[in-house]
Amino acid sequence: MKEYKCILCESDNGKIFLIASDRYNSSKEYKYFRCTNCNIVTLEDRTNNKNFEAYNLEEPSIIQKFILWMSYNKLRKYKKSGKVLDFGCGAGNLSFFLLKNGYNVNCFEIDPIYQEHLEKKGLNVLKKISKDKYDIIVLDNVLEHLPNPIEVLKKLKKNLNDDGIFIISLPNINSLQFKIFKENWFHLDAPRHLNHFYKNSFSKLLERVNLNIIKKYYFNINIDPTGWWWSIKKSKNKISLSEQIILGLFVPLVFITSIFKTTGQIIYIIKK
């Protein structure tokens, strides 16, 4: 075992939380450790977060576009327009949705395959983060991939207008999905997910950066039904059109778990 040091509180007290295999290569196993002081769960070897060609560049279906609208349209009550930075935007589905709904969107993505895909879709792709200010900064399932989430948030905070908001979505390791599927939970996603925020560790991370949660959304049908389905069938990534219809069967379960705040994903609205 490598010498343990917590990325959040710098404690050297960590214990094995879980051992999981890579869904793209089941012969490889990875250890997650939980800090006994602040509860953050982190991958032991934080250099092993490559995508392993886990790309999905297909155009979203009508069903997926409708689900995206249902998940994010409610956020317009915070900012009906403005300048957006979608940091780590992946295939850019959310960026394109925001652009079509009147926002001025800049994308930042380091993966060259995604960069080319985003430019073909007509999105403005940044090569580096300048000193520009934004009304909204989106990190949609990004922080769990970063070896240095505190440093990244500190830097991005400087790019946020004083009345701006962060929209941060994260897998919820406190979820019913994780309790049932454990190492087979799809959104554990070893070794691509380096960080999982167990118990109150995400709030502690935000305290380090002097950011405040103003709202949590647990009812997220954009991601949550797929977490159930992928965990059950141990899928690698893509879902057929017929499976998208099947996902509708999980919506009542998502609603119930949202009442108990145990959904597989959480969307946070955050301010300075």
Side-chain angles (χ1 to χ4, degrees):
M1 171 186 168
K2 295 182 178 180
E3 184 178 346
Y4 177 83
K5 191 174 184 66
C6 177
I7 65 165
L8 180 52
C9 69
E10 300 184 347
S11 167
D12 57 4
N13 295 317
K15 65 179 184 179
I16 293 178
F17 181 76
L18 192 73
I19 298 175
S21 60
D22 181 1
R23 68 177 184 267
Y24 293 97
N25 185 351
S26 59
S27 66
K28 291 188 177 182
E29 291 188 333
Y30 300 89
K31 292 179 182 178
Y32 283 95
F33 283 79
R34 179 179 69 86
C35 174
T36 57
N37 182 49
C38 72
N39 285 313
I40 192 170
V41 173
T42 53
L43 194 70
E44 179 184 23
D45 186 352
R46 299 174 63 75
T47 62
N48 279 321
N49 64 331
K50 298 183 184 301
N51 281 321
F52 299 112
E53 300 183 358
Y55 299 104
N56 185 359
L57 304 180
E58 294 179 357
E59 184 67 19
S61 68
I62 293 175
I63 295 173
Q64 289 172 320
K65 289 178 180 179
F66 176 69
I67 288 173
L68 194 64
W69 178 85
M70 286 189 67
S71 297
Y72 286 96
N73 193 57
K74 58 180 173 288
L75 303 177
R76 291 177 66 86
K77 76 178 194 178
Y78 299 99
K79 294 285 179 183
K80 293 183 178 180
S81 61
K83 191 174 181 181
V84 178
L85 172 63
D86 193 352
F87 184 88
C89 61
N93 293 336
L94 179 56
S95 295
F96 199 69
F97 168 80
L98 293 172
L99 182 67
K100 290 296 184 182
N101 280 271
Y103 295 89
N104 178 9
V105 181
N106 286 331
C107 302
F108 180 77
E109 174 56 56
I110 63 172
D111 190 295
I113 293 177
Y114 278 139
Q115 286 177 352
E116 182 181 358
H117 174 73
L118 294 165
E119 288 170 350
K120 286 181 179 177
K121 291 184 72 169
L123 290 161
N124 184 36
V125 183
L126 302 178
K127 303 302 181 185
K128 63 179 182 178
I129 304 297
S130 65
K131 294 182 179 180
D132 288 0
K133 295 286 188 175
Y134 294 90
D135 301 297
I136 303 171
I137 298 179
V138 178
L139 294 98
D140 184 22
N141 290 281
V142 171
L143 286 182
E144 64 270 26
H145 293 274
L146 302 179
N148 54 345
I150 294 174
E151 288 76 10
V152 169
L153 280 180
K154 282 181 178 178
K155 290 179 180 179
L156 290 176
K157 182 182 174 183
K158 296 177 182 178
N159 293 97
L160 189 68
N161 285 325
D162 290 340
D163 63 344
I165 60 170
F166 281 103
I167 301 173
I168 297 178
S169 60
L170 291 168
N172 180 18
I173 202 168
N174 306 290
S175 64
L176 181 61
Q177 287 181 22
F178 175 73
K179 287 180 173 65
I180 292 173
F181 298 107
K182 300 187 185 304
E183 68 274 8
N184 294 315
W185 180 43
F186 183 84
H187 294 302
L188 185 69
D189 202 14
R192 286 157 293 279
H193 286 181
L194 306 180
N195 315 302
H196 285 282
F197 298 96
Y198 188 59
K199 294 187 176 179
N200 61 343
S201 55
F202 184 58
S203 295
K204 291 180 179 179
L205 183 146
L206 294 178
E207 287 175 10
R208 286 281 308 272
V209 193
N210 292 318
L211 291 171
N212 303 290
I213 298 171
I214 62 171
K215 183 69 176 179
K216 298 179 187 179
Y217 287 100
Y218 291 91
F219 187 65
N220 181 2
I221 63 168
N222 183 38
I223 296 293
D224 229 54
T226 56
W228 285 104
W229 183 241
W230 280 332
S231 298
I232 290 169
K233 67 174 291 197
K234 297 183 180 180
S235 169
K236 291 188 175 181
N237 211 11
K238 297 179 182 179
I239 289 183
S240 66
L241 182 59
S242 61
E243 286 177 315
Q244 291 172 30
I245 297 171
I246 293 172
L247 290 178
L249 300 175
F250 290 96
V251 172
L253 183 56
V254 175
F255 177 74
I256 293 169
T257 53
S258 70
I259 294 173
F260 294 97
K261 301 180 180 179
T262 57
T263 47
Q265 287 269 324
I266 305 175
I267 299 174
Y268 296 87
I269 310 299
I270 294 167
K271 284 191 172 184
K272 291 183 179 180

